[in-house]
Amino acid sequence: MYKILIRPILFLFDAEAVHHFSFGAIKFFSRLGLGRLFRKAYVINDSKLEREVFGLKFKNPVGLAAGFDKDAKLYNELSDLGFGFIEIGTLTPKPQDGNPKKRLFRLINDEAIINRMGFNNKGVFEAVEQLKKKHRVLIGGNIGKNKVTPNKSAIKDYLICFDALFEHVDYFVVNVSSPNTPGLRELQDRKPLTELLNKLKRQNGKLAKKNSVKEKPILLKIAPDLTDDQLLDIVGIMKDTAIDGVIATNTTISRENLKSHLTIVEEKGGLSGKPLAKRSTEVIRLLAEKSNKAFPIIGVGGIHSPEDALEKLDAGADLIQLYTGFIYEGPAIVKKINQALLART
């Protein structure tokens, strides 16, 4: 019903406006008490779907990637659509508007999206207030730096977010791979990245001891545009810093083999969706093989079907995340992937 009736209407309107409309609609229907109906339609409770990864037990391996619920306002309602975990953010210490609009574009012929949102969010402390509600699902906190913060001071921004979220999320994601914050990807270089991750690792230990809890898993989100040599550096960094896992991958700046009109293809920003599927799978496979599966991987990029999801898992991913596929396929995609996983057992 979503693809035949709802999506064609939604796609008539501006992509960012539709995002906010859909966000509000999910919240509205949940407040009317329809969350129970959503759960009945989309949630599969089966122990065979459970996964234990970096010390956390996931109800199922299908998560929602960062970017949809930036400010942690809808995580419980989104869990009613069958997700096993929700990643909020990217959050920064101070609120910021992000890049000027128009900044979100559909490439319908490619089943893709270009975004140059620029970490628009209301700030980490606003998100903390939202996270004080009871969680019905595991929550990941995706953290970044403010646009006005120079790279030499970036560690401070990440630490502010880490400290604020520590008691409120189940795992952390260090985002140094968005193409929409000037200079951010420079933090993926070995020296600054190692320094950043080591600082967060030490802070993790301090906060865990202070609160008499276990350390929170820390994951690194990487770009698909890294060369194979740079990916080998990532494997080395993972070994040196002993952080808990990788999310592969973020959006790409590549525009190869697209079918959409040139005026849209030439828009600046990160590309997500089906055109990213092949490269993200290549990155997952390389990391898994070259590290000998030394760390868990969350696979994301171009998952629009159960077959796409299984391909990521077969390449070496332990969990997967949706974003653009969720927009194009609707919430049924989550259930279909979980059904396909059960059919394999």
Side-chain angles (χ1 to χ4, degrees), residues 76-90:
N76 280 331
E77 292 86 346
L78 288 166
S79 74
D80 292 338
L81 301 180
F83 289 107
F85 59 109
I86 307 288
E87 195 170 302
I88 61 163
T90 297

Side-chain angles (χ1 to χ4, degrees), residues 102 105 114 116 255 262-270:
K102 190 175 181 178
F105 308 88
I114 290 174
R116 54 171 180 264
R255 297 292 188 269
L262 194 61
T263 54
I264 301 177
V265 170
E266 290 183 338
E267 291 287 352
K268 293 181 180 179

Side-chain angles (χ1 to χ4, degrees), residues 54-154:
F54 36 79
L56 299 175
K57 181 175 279 190
F58 294 80
K59 289 175 64 177
N60 68 67
V62 186
L64 181 63
F68 196 91
D69 190 9
K70 287 178 175 287
D71 294 305
K73 292 182 176 180
L74 204 66
Y75 50 88
N76 280 331
E77 292 86 346
L78 288 166
S79 74
D80 292 338
L81 301 180
F83 289 107
F85 59 109
I86 307 288
E87 195 170 302
I88 61 163
T90 297
L91 292 165
T92 56
K94 298 177 183 177
Q96 59 181 32
D97 294 330
N99 293 320
K101 298 177 181 180
K102 190 175 181 178
R103 55 192 181 180
L104 188 64
F105 308 88
R106 301 185 196 95
L107 286 71
I108 295 175
N109 291 335
D110 296 290
E111 296 187 61
I113 288 173
I114 290 174
N115 93 81
R116 54 171 180 264
M117 303 301 287
F119 288 175
N120 57 306
N121 72 105
K122 294 186 177 180
V124 69
F125 298 103
E126 175 70 22
V128 165
E129 292 304 310
Q130 299 292 336
L131 288 164
K132 289 179 179 177
K133 295 178 292 186
K134 184 179 179 180
H135 303 177
R136 298 201 299 263
V137 65
L138 290 177
I139 305 290
N142 187 304
I143 58 176
K145 77 175 188 71
N146 282 110
K147 184 177 181 179
V148 297
T149 302
N151 280 359
K152 64 181 181 181
S153 304

Side-chain angles (χ1 to χ4, degrees), residues 145-164:
K145 77 175 188 71
N146 282 110
K147 184 177 181 179
V148 297
T149 302
N151 280 359
K152 64 181 181 181
S153 304
I155 290 176
K156 183 178 179 182
D157 275 16
Y158 285 93
L159 287 171
I160 289 170
C161 293
F162 193 88
D163 289 355

Side-chain angles (χ1 to χ4, degrees), residues 34-287:
L34 298 182
R36 180 177 59 84
L37 296 179
F38 291 153
R39 290 192 293 274
K40 186 174 181 180
Y42 298 118
V43 174
I44 300 176
N45 290 311
D46 193 311
S47 60
K48 294 176 183 176
L49 289 172
E50 293 176 357
R51 300 289 187 275
E52 188 162 333
V53 186
F54 36 79
L56 299 175
K57 181 175 279 190
F58 294 80
K59 289 175 64 177
N60 68 67
V62 186
L64 181 63
F68 196 91
D69 190 9
K70 287 178 175 287
D71 294 305
K73 292 182 176 180
L74 204 66
Y75 50 88
N76 280 331
E77 292 86 346
L78 288 166
S79 74
D80 292 338
L81 301 180
F83 289 107
F85 59 109
I86 307 288
E87 195 170 302
I88 61 163
T90 297
L91 292 165
T92 56
K94 298 177 183 177
Q96 59 181 32
D97 294 330
N99 293 320
K101 298 177 181 180
K102 190 175 181 178
R103 55 192 181 180
L104 188 64
F105 308 88
R106 301 185 196 95
L107 286 71
I108 295 175
N109 291 335
D110 296 290
E111 296 187 61
I113 288 173
I114 290 174
N115 93 81
R116 54 171 180 264
M117 303 301 287
F119 288 175
N120 57 306
N121 72 105
K122 294 186 177 180
V124 69
F125 298 103
E126 175 70 22
V128 165
E129 292 304 310
Q130 299 292 336
L131 288 164
K132 289 179 179 177
K133 295 178 292 186
K134 184 179 179 180
H135 303 177
R136 298 201 299 263
V137 65
L138 290 177
I139 305 290
N142 187 304
I143 58 176
K145 77 175 188 71
N146 282 110
K147 184 177 181 179
V148 297
T149 302
N151 280 359
K152 64 181 181 181
S153 304
I155 290 176
K156 183 178 179 182
D157 275 16
Y158 285 93
L159 287 171
I160 289 170
C161 293
F162 193 88
D163 289 355
L165 290 171
F166 184 83
E167 296 181 48
H168 305 285
V169 299
D170 298 292
Y171 69 88
F172 283 93
V173 179
V174 181
N175 190 345
V176 291
S177 53
S178 169
N180 301 316
T181 298
L184 184 72
R185 286 189 168 190
E186 295 171 10
L187 296 175
Q188 290 182 120
D189 292 343
R190 187 159 192 156
K191 183 178 178 181
L193 183 54
T194 300
E195 183 182 6
L196 169 61
L197 295 177
N198 278 332
K199 286 282 181 67
L200 290 172
K201 185 79 174 174
R202 285 196 290 271
Q203 188 67 1
N204 198 10
K206 290 177 183 177
L207 292 175
K209 185 176 182 180
K210 178 182 176 182
N211 292 281
S212 299
V213 296
K214 293 182 180 179
E215 293 184 13
K216 298 293 174 78
I218 300 175
L219 283 67
L220 173 66
K221 189 165 188 176
I222 62 172
D225 307 305
L226 296 175
T227 66
D228 287 356
D229 284 343
Q230 289 173 314
L231 290 171
L232 292 177
D233 272 347
I234 295 295
V235 173
I237 290 168
M238 295 296 295
K239 183 178 180 180
D240 293 344
T241 61
I243 66 164
D244 301 275
V246 167
I247 297 184
T249 63
N250 211 321
T251 57
T252 180
I253 57 175
S254 172
R255 297 292 188 269
E256 292 182 5
N257 303 317
L258 297 179
K259 306 169 190 174
S260 299
H261 195 279
L262 194 61
T263 54
I264 301 177
V265 170
E266 290 183 338
E267 291 287 352
K268 293 181 180 179
L271 176 78
S272 61
K274 277 196 171 181
L276 183 55
K278 181 181 177 182
R279 179 55 183 163
S280 66
T281 302
E282 289 173 349
V283 171
I284 292 165
R285 183 173 289 111
L286 187 149
L287 292 174

